[in-house]
Amino acid sequence: DAGVIQSPRHEVTEMGQEVTLRCKPISGHNSLFWYRQTMMRGLELLIYFNNNVPIDDSGMPEDRFSAKMPNASFSTLKIQPSEPRDSAVYFCASSLGGFSNQPQHFGDGTRLSIL
Amino acid sequence: GESVGLHLPTLSVQEGDNSIINCAYSNSASDYFIWYKQESGKGPQFIIDIRSNMDKRQGQRVTVLLNKTVKHLSLQIAATQPGDSAVYFCAEVGNQFYFGTGTSLTVIP
């Protein structure tokens, strides 16, 4: 079975540019999560969706970050404009039924470098 | 065990020995706990989970122990293999979801 699929795997861009990260969750999963991982702060939950509806976006750093889930099989995380401090690995995860009683399954991440 | 901050706890074990990775969780209301394994360049991979109505759960070569009295969780890996080298995270779930900072396990052949 296909796991969570993220693209691109690597992104290098100059500050000020718009960055769009993409995620395809596991088919049938109804919850989707976006995380950011850095050495300094570890894994941070940015936002999660349940049935395509954003439930908690309190982890989104600032207005430069936005996330959408137009349908059950696709989500995007957008940074505009990007800054060097946004450099990190961004993970998408999905689960069956929220986070409270089912494990999340992670993609292999997008390694983002903002120059 | 795990700690908050910049330093990633490390554990080195000989191949074939058993490994024990510890995690102290913070929220006494957390009722679901998950262990993940993260290899270099990959996302966290689910290993095993346990709910608060249990104190022990076993999988293939792995056992998770939960002590709610002292808010402590451990992951035991039997007959550790080189492929077990990775960073291991515990996650606690209550009304929110928290990842620990991880423990780096190195298996010495």
Side-chain angles (χ1 to χ4, degrees):
Chain A
D1 288 342
V4 174
I5 300 172
Q6 292 186 246
S7 65
R9 287 299 313 276
H10 303 273
E11 175 89 13
V12 180
T13 192
E14 293 185 346
M15 67 176 293
Q17 297 297 307
E18 178 180 290
V19 173
T20 300
L21 311 181
R22 297 173 175 80
C23 175
K24 177 178 169 55
I26 293 172
S27 178
H29 282 191
N30 60 351
S31 295
L32 184 140
F33 308 80
W34 282 101
Y35 289 88
R36 176 171 67 178
Q37 186 176 42
T38 62
M39 289 297 294
M40 291 289 291
R41 300 171 69 93
L43 261 170
E44 301 173 277
L45 177 64
L46 301 177
I47 185 170
Y48 84 91
F49 295 83
N50 205 41
N51 295 321
N52 311 340
V53 176
I55 301 300
D56 183 357
D57 66 354
S58 59
M60 295 286 263
E62 49 198 272
D63 292 346
R64 297 185 297 106
F65 286 68
S66 62
K68 294 183 179 179
M69 192 165 187
N71 58 61
S73 59
F74 184 66
S75 177
T76 60
L77 177 68
K78 187 171 293 188
I79 308 172
Q80 167 63 19
S82 57
E83 297 181 4
R85 62 190 168 123
D86 301 330
S87 298
V89 181
Y90 290 80
F91 288 104
C92 176
S94 69
S95 75
L96 189 62
F99 63 76
S100 60
N101 60 4
Q102 294 289 335
Q104 296 173 33
H105 297 269
F106 286 75
D108 282 338
T110 295
R111 183 173 293 276
L112 178 64
S113 296
I114 308 297
L115 306 178
Chain B
E2 298 196 35
S3 62
V4 175
L6 301 178
H7 300 289
L8 194 65
T10 59
L11 176 67
S12 295
V13 298
Q14 289 290 140
E15 181 178 359
D17 287 352
N18 297 335
S19 302
I20 299 176
I21 301 171
N22 297 304
C23 176
Y25 64 92
S26 56
N27 186 355
S28 57
S30 294
D31 57 6
Y32 177 50
F33 305 88
I34 312 165
W35 279 102
Y36 288 92
K37 171 187 180 183
Q38 187 175 22
E39 297 174 278
S40 180
K42 295 189 175 182
Q45 176 187 6
F46 169 74
I47 302 173
I48 191 168
D49 57 3
I50 188 168
R51 304 187 194 282
S52 60
N53 61 350
M54 304 173 68
D55 53 21
K56 180 179 180 179
R57 189 163 189 225
Q58 288 184 292
Q60 186 177 14
R61 283 202 306 119
V62 294
T63 301
V64 55
L65 299 178
L66 175 62
N67 185 329
K68 295 181 288 294
T69 303
V70 295
K71 293 189 286 187
H72 184 268
L73 192 67
S74 69
L75 177 71
Q76 300 177 1
I77 305 173
T80 313
Q81 303 168 359
D84 295 328
S85 294
V87 176
Y88 289 81
F89 295 92
C90 72
E92 60 174 302
V93 185
N95 56 358
Q96 291 200 359
F97 184 90
Y98 297 105
F99 264 99
T101 52
T103 295
S104 177
L105 173 66
T106 300
V107 181
I108 303 167

